[in-house]
Amino acid sequence: MQRVNRVSKDRWAIFIDLEGFRALYDKENLVLLSLGELMEGIYNVGCKSFPESPDRLFAHQLGDGFVIVSDFHEESLDRPIAIAISLLRHVAYSGRFAKASISEGEFADIQSCYPAAVTNSLGADKRVSLGAGVMTIFPVMGTALIRAFSIGKNCPSGPLLAVASADRERLPVGLVIHETPSNDIILVDWIHSQTGLTERITKDAGLNSPDTTMLEESLRDYCRTQNVKEEWAENVGNYLGV
């Protein structure tokens, strides 16, 4: 895997979260189990596919999603694309769906910016006592997360995989790509796209990998049974070919 030696500290970041989590949380257990599938999938990819530097991963939970960050800058976006596709398919196997976006930026430990009263009481588990209560803190932040989150927020609704248009030339071959009304974002059809690295990650990490027909039928069933918004269902057809 090609690396570049430059001053920039930009690392890629994947922001991936569950679609419809808030609406489904108080109605069913499946969406929570799907969150567990996402968590386990990330764990297995990190432990089995990329356990060592310079390829190791850093992942942090944010509510019903995660940000996954690389160790270093990478010239090609082959790896984050393959990881995102693998995880989106793995979650889809559970019957619920995720959305992912990819961008780059800096990412660092920001605890030194926090007040001493808090950090001096911080335990190894990132918990701070509030008398008999508890505070947990998020120790890292950066433009990598902010940009990936912004891309996901600004792309069309639905279980999609979004990338900045400016990164088009850095994407691997073999992807089915769709334009969007926003000139700043393109979408990767994660159901009908395939790369060799996607296959390797799925196999090494032991992820579920439903075939194209199963993914298409599962999405159709979800649109029929979950009373999704019309725009959500239309985007499934327009950008995922379902």
Side-chain angles (χ1 to χ4, degrees):
M1 188 170 295
Q2 184 180 5
R3 308 269 176 193
V4 295
N5 184 14
R6 67 180 194 176
V7 176
S8 173
K9 297 180 181 179
D10 284 355
R11 300 148 65 184
W12 56 255
I14 304 167
F15 182 73
I16 181 167
D17 65 339
L18 269 293
E19 283 286 281
F21 189 86
R22 286 178 294 178
L24 295 172
Y25 182 80
D26 61 350
K27 298 178 182 178
E28 62 172 42
N29 293 325
L30 182 54
V31 72
L32 190 57
L33 295 175
S34 295
L35 178 60
E37 291 290 338
L38 173 59
M39 182 182 295
E40 185 175 17
I42 295 170
Y43 175 81
N44 285 339
V45 170
C47 291
K48 299 177 181 179
S49 298
F50 304 110
E52 303 292 340
S53 185
D55 296 322
R56 62 181 177 169
L57 304 175
F58 299 85
H60 305 273
Q61 185 178 7
L62 294 164
D64 64 324
F66 289 82
V67 58
I68 307 167
V69 187
S70 64
D71 201 0
F72 297 101
H73 173 80
E74 298 174 17
E75 187 63 27
S76 169
L77 293 180
D78 190 359
R79 203 157 67 106
I81 287 289
I83 292 171
I85 291 176
S86 299
L87 291 172
L88 288 168
R89 292 175 178 172
H90 179 73
V91 173
Y93 187 81
S94 72
R96 295 296 175 259
F97 299 90
K99 182 174 190 174
S101 53
I102 297 171
S103 190
E104 288 183 310
E106 296 183 355
F107 204 71
D109 190 318
I110 59 172
Q111 290 186 70
S112 62
C113 299
Y114 292 167
V118 173
T119 57
N120 290 342
S121 302
L122 189 63
D125 56 359
K126 307 302 180 187
R127 292 156 63 97
V128 177
S129 173
L130 297 180
V134 172
M135 171 193 288
T136 60
I137 68 168
F138 191 62
V140 290
M141 184 55 68
T143 52
L145 169 59
I146 294 168
R147 291 169 184 167
F149 181 82
S150 295
I151 287 175
K153 184 176 181 180
N154 293 327
C155 88
S157 67
L160 307 174
L161 172 53
V163 186
S165 299
D167 290 326
R168 183 192 301 267
E169 299 303 318
R170 299 170 61 202
L171 299 179
V173 297
L175 301 181
V176 179
I177 295 175
H178 295 281
E179 308 296 329
T180 70
S182 169
N183 292 327
D184 298 328
I185 297 171
I186 55 177
L187 299 175
V188 176
D189 180 347
W190 54 271
I191 291 180
H192 300 99
S193 296
Q194 188 61 280
T195 71
L197 185 55
T198 302
E199 295 178 357
R200 197 197 91 193
I201 291 171
T202 299
K203 181 179 179 181
D204 290 349
L207 302 182
N208 292 313
S209 183
D211 62 27
T212 300
T213 301
M214 181 177 178
L215 287 170
E216 290 175 343
E217 183 54 39
S218 183
L219 263 173
R220 291 191 192 101
D221 182 68
Y222 186 87
C223 289
R224 287 194 301 264
T225 61
Q226 295 303 318
N227 194 32
V228 300
K229 294 181 179 179
E230 182 177 351
E231 180 186 4
W232 200 98
E234 289 179 351
N235 289 337
V236 166
N238 292 336
Y239 302 122
L240 296 177
V242 176

